[in-house]
Amino acid sequence: MQTKYDTILVLDFGGQYCHLIGRRIREHGVYSEIVPPDITPDKIRSMSREFNIKGIILSGGPSSVYEPNAPRIDAGILELNLPVLGLCYGHQLIAQMCKGKVEPAACREYGVSYVEIDKPVGVLAGLSSREKVWMSHGDTVFSLPPEFEVLAHTESCPVAAFRHKTKPIYGLQWHPEVVHTENGTLMLRNFIFEVCGCTANWQMEDLITKMINELRTEVGNAKAIIGLSGGIDSSVATALAAQALNDRLTAVFVDHGFMREGEPEAIREAFKKFKINFVVANAQQRFLEKLKGVVDPEAKRKIIGEEFIRVFEEIAEKVGAEYLIQGTIYPDRIESGFRKHSDKIKTHHNVAGLPAKIKFKKILEPLRDLYKDEVRRVAKMLGLPREIVSRQPFPGPGLAVRIIGELTEEKVRIAKKADTIVREEIERGGLEDNLWQYFAVLTDTKATGVKGDARAYGYVVAVRAAESREAMTASFAKIPYPILERISTRITNEIPEVTRVVYDITHKPPATIEWE
Ligand code: XMP
């Protein structure tokens, strides 16, 4: 019989970090389910047949609690006698529902902030009097009724954390799930184990078995193809699908021409050892033609998403495959804005970039709920080779989203060269293991320079290197100047069309990692 896991429900108000809460809980060996915010108390009671529900977290979200259509919860949820923790929007919502005062903040706080902990109890047990936290809010809780007590404040936020005096109800204005909250792990651990009394009885292996079984059940005796870009996600999805389907699986590598230098060869080499049908689709010309004259980044992503599917459909017809498997992971979906209350950040090629009509019976996405570092853990458990496990992520649309403006053969050539130089110098400096991604962006700005005593007017290349754990947030990397200097010198010397190199010093948020 399957174990009834101790479970925390996360009510999803559309916050960018909502799913991150789920995975942070999983990291502690406790299962979590993300559910819509309009879930009823009865539904929660009925879920108890399958899960041992021990607590509820209300996520953050882009709305304001006082907007007419702001998402809310059934008041009965606060009466279920289950511990509740509200984060950001969730914190404001509990305050408002309990007759507290929530208003626009005099001073909005985005990014790192410091809170004064007034009472280190409950969720805040073990914290010091001043804590570094990650805030991202435009509204603030200004006061609460007497049955609540304030646990923390900042200069501009008088109720940064609270708890109910007699019930296990807590609110935090900040995001403990984001790594930039220094003691976020401790805060969540306090909630999961001390406040909710969970036992850690869930593990990653359970998920691998679940994913393989799901693929087997869905595909039955039919055939499937999988888009294999050589990145970690599609490689892991391929390894899982290979276990589920064996030779009923065909892996397709689409060479759309926006790959890094040497990439198609590297993929062929890495997957030589796998016992799968492997097809390379040479589609450079058709992608470039479709993208001629297209400048808008979202239009580019949509065209690429559609063309990928058309190539897959053609190959599926040849091999008789009815299903398409993709290595889509959670952040791809969240940024594509697939949830009811979340904002669209960008159209990931394999999610919202998909055309409305497709010839497949179904698209299967076994990794849809995982983050990149969880995928890496699964890769290790599946015994995938190091060159795949440790590859830096590469977006499906490739250099097309790193070349701003219209794509031309000249720009693709320049971007490839610049990218190779960045990769070589970062790796020569031994920095790659600590970086999430490092690459070059060919901007559509031109700048004046002087080369060999003559005026030059050429492209501006931006270098981007980011540190991150799961791509939901990222910090620009503090690359040593000598390495940046080598990169800049080599790019301007080896690529005559480039006159200037700049370094991108923006975190995510507010920027995204890719430029488009
Ligand atoms: P952003 O730019 O949104 O990127 O901060 C987050 C992570 O996702 C990768 N990325 C993509 N991956 N298809 C993909 O397979 C896409 O369309 C796509 N867009 C961005 C990006 O490289 C980063 O690791």
Side-chain angles (χ1 to χ4, degrees):
M1 199 187 87
Q2 201 199 333
T3 326
K4 208 166 149 187
Y5 303 120
D6 276 5
T7 301
I8 304 281
L9 291 185
V10 181
L11 271 54
D12 177 5
F13 288 99
Q16 292 297 311
Y17 310 126
C18 171
H19 226 74
L20 204 48
I21 305 168
R23 68 149 291 176
R24 293 281 178 254
I25 298 168
R26 293 201 293 271
E27 276 172 2
H28 286 97
V30 172
Y31 190 64
S32 91
E33 277 275 311
I34 313 282
V35 293
D38 53 6
I39 189 167
T40 61
D42 278 346
K43 172 74 185 162
I44 294 178
R45 279 188 210 102
S46 71
M47 284 178 80
S48 298
R49 273 180 242 129
E50 204 182 331
F51 308 103
N52 212 0
I53 297 173
K54 304 282 278 187
I56 295 173
I57 294 184
L58 311 185
S59 85
S63 317
S64 273
V65 289
Y66 41 77
E67 281 169 0
N69 295 325
R72 311 182 64 77
I73 56 167
D74 185 316
I77 287 178
L78 296 179
E79 306 297 329
L80 283 169
N81 279 332
L82 283 171
V84 178
L85 171 64
L87 303 177
C88 197
Y89 180 83
H91 160 92
Q92 295 155 11
L93 185 64
I94 298 174
Q96 197 211 33
M97 287 176 69
C98 298
K99 311 268 180 291
K101 194 167 114 189
V102 184
E103 284 180 359
C107 170
R108 294 172 163 218
E109 289 169 298
Y110 295 110
V112 169
S113 214
Y114 288 86
V115 290
E116 308 295 330
I117 307 290
D118 305 308
K119 276 196 178 177
V121 294
V123 174
L124 304 186
L127 297 179
S128 50
S129 56
R130 191 173 155 82
E131 288 287 335
K132 186 176 169 189
V133 301
W134 183 263
M135 297 264 205
S136 184
H137 68 116
D139 295 335
T140 293
V141 179
F142 283 94
S143 64
L144 283 165
E147 60 273 25
F148 285 85
E149 60 182 341
V150 177
L151 302 183
H153 70 275
T154 72
E155 237 169 62
S156 55
C157 181
V159 187
F162 64 74
R163 75 166 171 183
H164 194 284
K165 285 180 183 161
T166 54
K167 296 177 186 171
I169 298 177
Y170 288 81
L172 304 180
Q173 179 54 75
W174 62 87
H175 291 274
E177 68 277 21
V178 170
V179 283
H180 311 285
T181 295
E182 219 157 57
N183 284 311
T185 306
L186 174 61
M187 298 166 196
L188 287 176
R189 207 164 54 217
N190 281 339
F191 181 69
I192 300 166
F193 297 110
E194 305 308 325
V195 179
C196 299
C198 288
T199 306
N201 60 356
W202 179 87
Q203 53 192 356
M204 201 62 153
E205 280 82 357
D206 298 339
L207 203 63
I208 296 182
T209 317
K210 188 174 160 226
M211 292 188 289
I212 294 175
N213 286 341
E214 202 178 273
L215 285 173
R216 272 196 197 124
T217 314
E218 288 277 5
V219 178
N221 289 324
K223 287 184 180 169
I225 68 166
I226 183 159
L228 173 63
S229 70
I232 175 102
D233 308 340
S234 61
S235 302
V236 168
T238 302
L240 287 171
Q243 286 198 29
L245 309 176
N246 301 310
D247 59 359
R248 282 180 291 123
L249 178 72
T250 299
V252 183
F253 172 71
V254 179
D255 185 357
H256 49 34
F258 312 119
M259 291 291 172
R260 293 174 280 209
E261 258 173 18
E263 190 77 350
E265 298 76 18
I267 309 296
R268 197 181 269 283
E269 186 56 32
F271 281 88
K272 231 171 40 191
K273 317 162 195 147
F274 287 71
K275 286 191 183 59
I276 47 170
N277 309 312
F278 182 59
V279 176
V280 176
N282 288 312
Q284 294 96 319
Q285 272 315 316
R286 68 190 267 184
F287 270 86
L288 203 56
E289 253 149 51
K290 288 267 165 172
L291 289 161
K292 211 173 238 163
V294 181
V295 173
D296 177 62
E298 282 298 287
K300 270 190 200 172
R301 284 174 167 275
K302 285 225 160 91
I303 291 169
I304 293 171
E306 160 141 26
E307 212 47 27
F308 260 113
I309 292 288
R310 299 298 167 235
V311 174
F312 291 146
E313 281 171 350
E314 288 162 22
I315 292 171
E317 201 174 340
K318 275 191 208 143
V319 301
E322 293 172 73
Y323 292 87
L324 174 66
I325 303 172
Q326 296 203 122
T328 315
I329 62 169
Y330 191 74
D332 301 347
R333 299 197 298 140
I334 195 169
E335 298 212 329
S336 298
F338 77 102
R339 290 171 309 149
K340 205 166 152 196
H341 298 290
S342 70
D343 263 10
K344 178 157 114 183
I345 310 296
K346 63 175 68 169
T347 302
H348 282 240
H349 77 287
N350 45 355
V351 189
L354 295 177
K357 279 200 181 144
I358 48 174
K359 288 186 190 150
F360 290 98
K361 222 174 194 171
K362 200 167 179 187
I363 295 184
L364 306 173
E365 297 174 324
L367 309 177
R368 62 185 176 274
D369 288 327
L370 298 190
Y371 285 82
K372 190 77 87 185
D373 53 338
E374 292 181 303
V375 176
R376 280 196 217 282
R377 274 177 58 204
V378 173
K380 279 192 196 142
M381 285 180 195
L382 292 171
L384 291 184
R386 194 188 127 74
E387 69 261 23
I388 293 178
V389 178
S390 57
R391 285 188 122 215
Q392 60 163 323
F394 187 59
L399 302 179
V401 291
R402 295 178 181 170
I403 297 171
I404 313 306
E406 187 184 356
L407 293 153
T408 62
E409 280 180 36
E410 181 199 44
K411 285 163 101 179
V412 174
R413 183 173 47 76
I414 295 171
K416 276 188 185 177
K417 264 195 183 169
D419 180 73
T420 304
I421 294 169
V422 173
R423 277 196 285 155
E424 283 175 358
E425 290 306 325
I426 294 281
E427 285 159 24
R428 193 147 74 105
L431 302 182
E432 72 275 22
D433 284 346
N434 295 320
L435 294 178
W436 173 263
Q437 273 172 304
Y438 41 98
F439 55 86
V441 174
L442 183 60
T443 74
D444 58 351
T445 300
K446 288 204 160 184
T448 304
V450 48
K451 286 191 177 182
D453 288 337
R455 181 181 193 275
Y457 188 60
Y459 287 104
V460 177
V461 164
V463 176
R464 179 88 164 132
E467 291 164 357
S468 177
R469 264 180 74 185
E470 70 303 279
M472 294 303 294
T473 61
S475 311
F476 78 85
K478 318 308 181 277
I479 304 285
Y481 275 128
I483 295 182
L484 287 175
E485 185 179 26
R486 267 204 303 276
I487 290 174
S488 143
T489 309
R490 278 195 60 195
I491 290 179
T492 44
N493 282 354
E494 295 174 31
I495 314 177
E497 297 89 343
V498 179
T499 49
R500 201 169 290 245
V501 177
V502 296
Y503 187 53
D504 182 347
I505 53 165
T506 337
H507 298 315
K508 173 183 180 174
T512 53
I513 297 175
E514 305 289 348
W515 273 41
E516 285 200 332

